Amino acid sequence: MAAVVPAVSFAQAQPASGTTELDRIQVTGSRIRGVEIENQQPILTVSREDIARSGQATVADLLQNISSAGSPAISRADALASGENVGGYYIDIRNLGANRTLVLINGVRLGATTGGFQDLSQIPVSAIERIDILKDGASSIYGSDAIAAVVNVITRSRFDGAEASVQYGQYTDGDGGETIYSATFGTTNDRGGITVSAEVMEGDPVFAGDRFFSAFGDAGPDYPGSGFSPVSQNGSWYDVATGTWLTLREGGNPANRGDYVPHTAEYNANSNQQMMVQTGLERKSVFTNINYDLTDRITFNSDILYNKRTTDQQIAGYPYQSAAFDTMLSGDSAFNPTGEDIDFRRRLWEVPRTTRSELTTFRVVAGLTGYFEVNERPWDWGVSYANNRNEVTKTGHGDASLLATAPALGPSFIDANGVARCGTVGSVIAGCTPWNPLLPAGVAGPGSLGNADVQNFLFPTYTDTGTTSSKIYSANLSGGLFELPAGDLGFAVGIERREETGRFVPDAFNQSGNSTGLPATTTQGEYDVNEAYVELNVPVLADMAFAQELTLNFASRYSDYSNFGNTTNSKGSFLWRPIESLAVRGTWAQGFRAPSIDNLYGGIGGSFESYTDPCSVGVSGSVAGNAACTAAGVSPTYVQLGQGLVPCTSWPCQTPDQFISGSNPDLGPEESISKTAGIVWSPGFADGLTLSLDWYNYKLSNYIISDSVNRILRDCYVLGDASRCDGITRAADGHISGMFYGLTNLGQLETEGWDFGARYRMADTAFGGFTFDWQTSYLSQYDSLGQNSAGENVFIGGAGDPGLFRVRSTLSTNWEVNDEWNVTWNMRYYSGINDGCVTNRPCSDPDRYQVGETAPRNRLGSNTFHNLQVSYSAPWDGTISVGVDNVFDREAAIMFSGGNVSTGFPYYPEFDIGRFMYMRYTQRF
């Protein structure tokens, strides 16, 4: 799919004669232009032809299929995700995190959220000429965030003519319809041109109830009912006298206590029936490039981007538990069958939780580039200004207002007209509608949650708003200082100022904690950075035996941040060609990532965490009954309570209460050291064949991580560190009802692996021309810093875990016939993964140990997905394309634990979820 040849973008040079010569090139990863510069780092190029043959709807979808891509932070499969970043499409190279891969458009940073995420869906696919992926650290050239890789999207310019395209596809299951309309127009003359690309994309959602892995619960079709929740749409209340939860029997009278029966598994809720497994998406974007020669030596360049993205999410109705909000059903409620205050639980089934995220982006980049000569040596200069502004609005519905549930569950009565009223006779609460949480979904009656008046009273609409702004001022100069025996000494220098501001304001209900939604407070902050860099390209040897070329490259960048101070990051690389057909290359680079605005100035957020309570009996390493647990009021026989306050039977177990996390204004930058070494060989005996092999190693320190719930519990109760117990709150029954944990620079990570590439363009035959492109990544190491049960720091190997595939490989075969027919067959291979073991589920290696502790795993097999596209170029300059993704409708194995890529479904989120068929028509004018 991606070529292994070095990626270059052409820079125009205007000599004194006024003619234009395309004689110097700009390489992604270097600021020096020159015909002698070959890329000294591993770069993949995705061409416009590759894009057309993929049929992908977004840049992120396209890049997610390259072999070095990791698990994205958020995807369309992540319906459970919340916050500002939801709805975006992000790329993660080397599994180092999407905010450690820098995204550029024509060499200029793409705007980011307050979390530092850069949304690739903003870029219309129709505007792209090619994409360069520099798989190496490049902070010395580009600054912060360029730790794992740099993705440089090069857009079309000086396009003359017009083309329009329409594509429609859907899954063979009959859902997930996707429509794309795009058009590109351009006009040019002898001095410049303007190119405009517009695109509209609409993607329908896919619901979890319509896929084999999610329809039956959280463990697939072989374990129906697994993960069903006792907090169900049937409603239940706790009978203190018998110690059981009771549910209204079918056809029973809700006012008759005798019609309530014990709540058994048959009354539990399958929340996946209401969940989206793929969110809905709509995108409208326009990209304009203006390129004009003001003089023979000065060119004006400008990019203008407008994008409006709308994402729709739906998850199951909220699992309301009265004990969590101290809102018991009053004994004086007209719907209480006992006459005494009772605890209840009821999933708000009739009103699923929905979120619509709307992001509007406006980006303007304008600059001048020029050319001059000094001692007959060419020099290039450029100045530019970029302004990227994102405005996001999130509209939510389905979380109940606690200001409404309290009176709705309080005293109420039925008036003379048979209408339920809040309050008491003679003291009616105006505007209040009482609610009967014991009435099952689908059963009509006073106070039913299916009643529109009840819904309108309990469920307001919530609105979150946010704005981020990036302003970048830069100036660059590059050229040849003087001649060395092997060529000119290349030199580049530049300065840059960047100003970042961000603000995200959750709805007032969420800020005050007066809804069932996750609590959150305002994120607001700003910082600026002034930077300067220098780069040297030193030709050491040329045209010698065993040294057709030996070139060294050095770069260093100084960055001064207003929030944490300064940092200097440097890089060195070499390229050696012992013979013309063989290149040996290597790099050593320092990198860094500055803490993002929400890392530093974010508010608090809530989540329902899965953890293991060491004070519980039945867990590995239990310390039940020790002094720390006893001092916290935990019984020596306590069993950890999960959702619905039901004793856990497997661990980690999800809390029934929200835990709170927050930012840290004292965070410092993350730091990294990356090393690569590789060879590129184009053997003379096989014309058209190029082979490459690259080794990489990354070491990250001061990695920003969230202080782990399990780490805090271990420090407090196992190690006896009382200072770590301060943020833990326990209820009278012993369960942890609240916890606060924040961000810290405690993380460390090391990863290592190999990339292999082979591209072969066969000579044309009587059957047409064939091109083969094979790209493979092997992950040999992925070790992150953690703690063992004794609280000791240990490095835990993750290679082979979910998302961290040992081997990812793509093979693209393209067949061209008579310039009319084109057939492309793409294969994506994922090696098997080590899923965690879960009680009462298959476990292929139950006796496995890691870092001296039991770490059982269940080995899942490999997966290969096949995509096919056939296109015909018609005589009237139109192209008809028909494609099938996941030709054989491959279904991967169920993941019982989900590991670090869990989305709430037992399936790896980047695997195909069905066979997808599409058709595209393109007309050129």
Side-chain angles (χ1 to χ4, degrees):
M1 177 185 125
V4 297
V5 294
V8 296
S9 55
F10 291 95
Q12 294 186 345
Q14 289 81 20
S17 64
T19 61
T20 298
E21 298 179 2
L22 298 178
D23 65 347
R24 295 193 313 286
I25 58 177
Q26 175 73 61
V27 179
T28 297
S30 174
R31 299 285 190 177
I32 300 173
R33 304 175 189 265
V35 292
E36 299 299 326
I37 297 179
E38 178 87 32
N39 196 277
Q40 297 160 2
Q41 301 148 103
I43 287 186
L44 286 178
T45 296
V46 180
S47 69
R48 180 156 189 81
E49 290 74 20
D50 295 325
I51 296 171
R53 293 166 185 165
S54 73
Q56 299 295 341
T58 71
V59 179
D61 289 335
L62 181 72
L63 296 180
Q64 193 58 44
N65 289 334
I66 68 175
S67 62
S68 55
S71 301
I74 298 174
S75 69
R76 288 183 70 184
D78 222 351
L80 286 171
S82 62
E84 175 191 2
N85 301 311
V86 172
Y89 283 65
Y90 313 103
I91 185 65
D92 175 6
I93 304 296
R94 306 287 192 215
N95 278 295
L96 296 181
N99 51 3
R100 295 174 189 86
T101 292
L102 180 64
V103 179
L104 312 173
I105 302 181
N106 296 323
V108 180
R109 284 173 174 265
L110 184 63
T113 68
T114 61
F117 291 91
Q118 298 175 284
D119 181 9
L120 282 160
S121 72
Q122 302 176 53
I123 309 168
V125 175
S126 58
I128 298 172
E129 182 62 33
R130 73 171 194 279
I131 305 171
D132 295 343
I133 304 104
L134 169 62
K135 297 184 293 182
D136 192 12
S139 288
S140 61
I141 300 296
Y142 299 112
S144 177
D145 309 334
I147 285 182
V150 176
V151 174
N152 191 10
V153 180
I154 310 299
T155 62
R156 305 166 83 175
S157 63
R158 298 205 179 188
F159 176 82
D160 197 8
E163 67 177 34
S165 177
V166 59
Q167 175 175 316
Y168 178 77
Q170 70 172 18
Y171 289 101
T172 52
D173 298 88
D175 54 13
E178 189 174 87
T179 306
I180 306 172
Y181 304 94
S182 65
T184 299
F185 309 90
T187 181
T188 62
N189 57 31
D190 58 353
R191 299 196 69 88
I194 179 171
T195 304
V196 180
S197 294
E199 191 168 276
V200 176
M201 181 265 186
E202 298 175 354
D204 295 334
V206 175
F207 281 85
D210 297 324
R211 289 299 181 269
F212 82 97
F213 56 84
S214 50
F216 306 95
D218 66 2
D222 293 337
Y223 301 92
S226 175
F228 284 20
S229 174
V231 186
S232 79
Q233 65 271 30
N234 293 292
S236 59
W237 58 277
Y238 186 69
D239 184 4
V240 178
T242 62
T244 58
W245 288 90
L246 303 177
T247 293
L248 184 67
R249 66 174 178 82
E250 185 175 355
N253 178 2
N256 181 9
R257 190 185 189 286
D259 280 345
Y260 289 86
V261 296
H263 182 102
T264 56
E266 65 181 295
Y267 293 105
N268 288 352
N270 178 9
S271 60
N272 284 359
Q273 292 179 11
Q274 294 190 324
M275 302 279 287
M276 287 181 181
V277 75
Q278 178 174 288
T279 57
L281 176 68
E282 179 180 320
R283 189 183 70 251
K284 301 175 182 177
S285 55
V286 180
F287 186 88
T288 301
N289 173 267
I290 302 170
N291 183 274
Y292 189 77
D293 298 333
L294 299 176
T295 71
D296 290 340
R297 298 195 174 200
I298 300 177
T299 300
F300 170 77
N301 297 281
S302 180
D303 293 337
I304 303 172
L305 170 66
Y306 169 82
N307 179 72
K308 176 78 176 284
R309 186 203 71 217
T310 302
T311 304
D312 290 310
Q313 297 170 268
Q314 178 177 304
I315 60 176
Y318 185 81
Y320 195 100
Q321 301 172 76
S322 63
F325 304 108
D326 194 22
T327 53
M328 302 174 74
L329 181 61
S330 171
D332 295 323
S333 169
F335 311 124
N336 191 317
T338 70
E340 299 176 354
D341 292 354
I342 56 175
D343 283 331
F344 71 90
R345 55 194 188 192
R346 171 67 149 81
R347 186 173 287 273
L348 310 182
W349 193 261
E350 292 85 342
V351 188
R353 287 167 287 174
T354 60
T355 303
R356 167 161 283 207
S357 303
E358 295 181 312
L359 174 75
T360 302
T361 299
F362 188 70
R363 172 185 174 90
V364 176
V365 180
L368 298 173
T369 57
Y371 161 84
F372 62 90
E373 292 182 352
V374 176
N375 296 328
E376 298 183 349
R377 289 188 175 85
W379 284 78
D380 295 280
W381 60 270
V383 294
S384 68
Y385 167 74
N387 189 330
N388 199 108
R389 182 178 177 85
N390 292 331
E391 296 180 353
V392 63
T393 301
K394 299 175 69 67
T395 305
H397 188 255
D399 274 302
S401 163
L402 300 181
L403 300 179
T405 58
L409 296 167
S412 61
F413 66 97
I414 307 296
D415 68 11
N417 297 317
V419 177
R421 302 288 187 186
C422 296
T424 58
V425 177
S427 183
V428 175
I429 302 175
C432 174
T433 303
W435 169 37
N436 183 357
L438 307 183
L439 203 60
V443 177
S448 167
L449 197 57
N451 185 301
D453 291 335
V454 176
Q455 293 183 11
N456 291 337
F457 180 61
L458 295 182
F459 300 99
T461 296
Y462 305 95
T463 303
D464 305 336
T465 60
T467 302
T468 59
S469 173
S470 298
K471 298 178 180 179
I472 306 171
Y473 310 81
S474 63
N476 303 282
L477 176 68
S478 67
L481 289 176
F482 50 82
E483 187 173 0
L484 296 174
D488 278 357
L489 176 65
F491 172 77
V493 65
I495 57 174
E496 184 173 289
R497 176 176 172 80
R498 185 157 49 92
E499 300 171 356
E500 301 280 354
T501 62
R503 176 181 170 88
F504 184 72
V505 184
D507 189 274
F509 271 92
N510 289 8
Q511 294 199 52
S512 63
N514 283 321
S515 81
T516 57
L518 299 177
T521 57
T522 296
T523 294
Q524 180 172 345
E526 61 184 22
Y527 67 85
D528 58 69
V529 54
N530 296 305
E531 300 180 289
Y533 75 88
V534 62
E535 181 184 3
L536 289 174
N537 201 71
V538 185
V540 179
L541 300 173
D543 302 322
M544 299 177 63
F546 301 105
Q548 292 295 307
E549 178 185 356
L550 177 60
T551 302
L552 305 180
N553 184 276
F554 304 97
S556 189
R557 188 181 191 95
Y558 173 80
S559 306
D560 185 11
Y561 279 78
S562 61
N563 48 5
F564 68 79
N566 59 70
T567 178
T568 300
N569 295 271
S570 302
K571 181 174 185 174
S573 62
F574 73 88
L575 179 71
W576 172 44
R577 289 187 179 275
I579 56 178
E580 189 63 33
S581 61
L582 180 66
V584 181
R585 61 193 181 192
T587 65
W588 177 92
Q590 295 174 313
F592 79 104
R593 183 181 83 86
S596 61
I597 288 174
D598 77 341
N599 290 159
L600 296 165
Y601 313 118
I604 63 171
S607 61
F608 290 88
E609 294 294 311
S610 294
Y611 66 96
T612 299
D613 188 345
C615 291
S616 168
V617 297
V619 305
S620 177
S622 171
V623 292
N626 77 354
C629 295
T630 302
V634 184
S635 166
T637 59
Y638 167 74
V639 177
Q640 183 178 343
L641 302 180
Q643 289 284 311
L645 297 179
V646 175
C648 300
T649 57
S650 62
W651 286 268
C653 185
Q654 190 176 42
T655 172
D657 300 283
Q658 296 174 10
F659 289 176
I660 305 299
S661 60
S663 59
N664 181 353
D666 299 322
L667 291 171
E670 300 177 342
E671 300 172 351
S672 73
I673 298 292
S674 63
K675 292 173 281 188
T676 69
I679 58 174
V680 180
W681 183 34
S682 300
F685 60 81
D687 188 35
L689 175 64
T690 301
L691 304 173
S692 67
L693 180 65
D694 288 284
W695 165 83
Y696 67 86
N697 177 273
Y698 292 83
K699 291 183 179 180
L700 277 66
S701 57
N702 295 327
Y703 200 96
I704 297 174
I705 60 173
S706 179
D707 199 358
S708 160
V709 170
N710 283 320
R711 177 182 292 181
I712 293 173
L713 295 178
R714 188 176 296 158
D715 289 350
C716 172
Y717 299 112
V718 178
L719 302 183
D721 185 349
S723 66
R724 296 284 277 168
C725 306
D726 294 341
I728 305 171
T729 302
R730 288 188 181 265
D733 59 11
H735 89 273
I736 300 175
S737 57
M739 180 182 289
F740 178 84
Y741 55 101
L743 300 177
T744 178
N745 282 107
L746 288 178
Q748 295 183 47
L749 186 149
E750 181 174 0
T751 183
E752 183 175 81
W754 298 81
D755 289 337
F756 170 75
R759 182 178 175 86
Y760 182 39
R761 177 68 169 92
M762 290 179 58
D764 289 345
T765 69
F767 301 100
F770 292 87
T771 302
F772 304 92
D773 192 354
W774 181 26
Q775 303 292 322
T776 298
S777 294
Y778 174 73
L779 180 64
S780 59
Q781 178 184 6
Y782 192 93
D783 295 348
S784 56
L785 184 65
Q787 289 186 315
N788 61 19
S789 60
E792 301 166 334
N793 288 337
V794 293
F795 278 92
I796 302 172
D801 288 350
L804 303 173
F805 299 96
R806 283 284 188 182
V807 179
R808 282 193 61 173
S809 186
T810 63
L811 174 61
S812 175
T813 302
N814 184 251
W815 177 27
E816 297 180 78
V817 183
N818 299 327
D819 295 326
E820 293 181 351
W821 291 93
N822 188 288
V823 180
T824 301
W825 187 281
N826 287 318
M827 300 169 59
R828 290 178 290 123
Y829 171 82
Y830 301 82
S831 62
I833 53 178
N834 303 322
D835 192 23
C837 287
V838 176
T839 304
N840 298 323
R841 300 285 185 270
C843 186
S844 59
D845 192 0
D847 300 322
R848 175 175 175 260
Y849 274 76
Q850 187 177 34
V851 294
E853 299 180 358
T854 56
R857 67 182 182 185
N858 185 41
R859 181 71 176 173
L860 302 180
S862 62
N863 291 278
T864 303
F865 299 94
H866 300 258
N867 297 347
L868 171 67
Q869 186 189 96
V870 180
S871 64
Y872 170 67
S873 297
W876 56 85
D877 213 7
T879 301
I880 303 169
S881 302
V882 178
V884 182
D885 294 344
N886 194 11
V887 174
F888 302 112
D889 201 16
R890 171 68 177 175
E891 296 179 346
I894 296 295
M895 294 169 52
F896 294 119
S897 74
N900 61 342
V901 293
S902 178
T903 60
F905 306 114
Y907 202 71
Y908 180 64
E910 290 308 305
F911 284 165
D912 293 356
I913 60 172
R915 181 189 294 115
F916 187 86
M917 303 182 68
Y918 63 90
M919 176 180 289
R920 179 175 65 243
Y921 179 74
T922 302
Q923 180 64 55
R924 299 169 186 82
F925 305 92

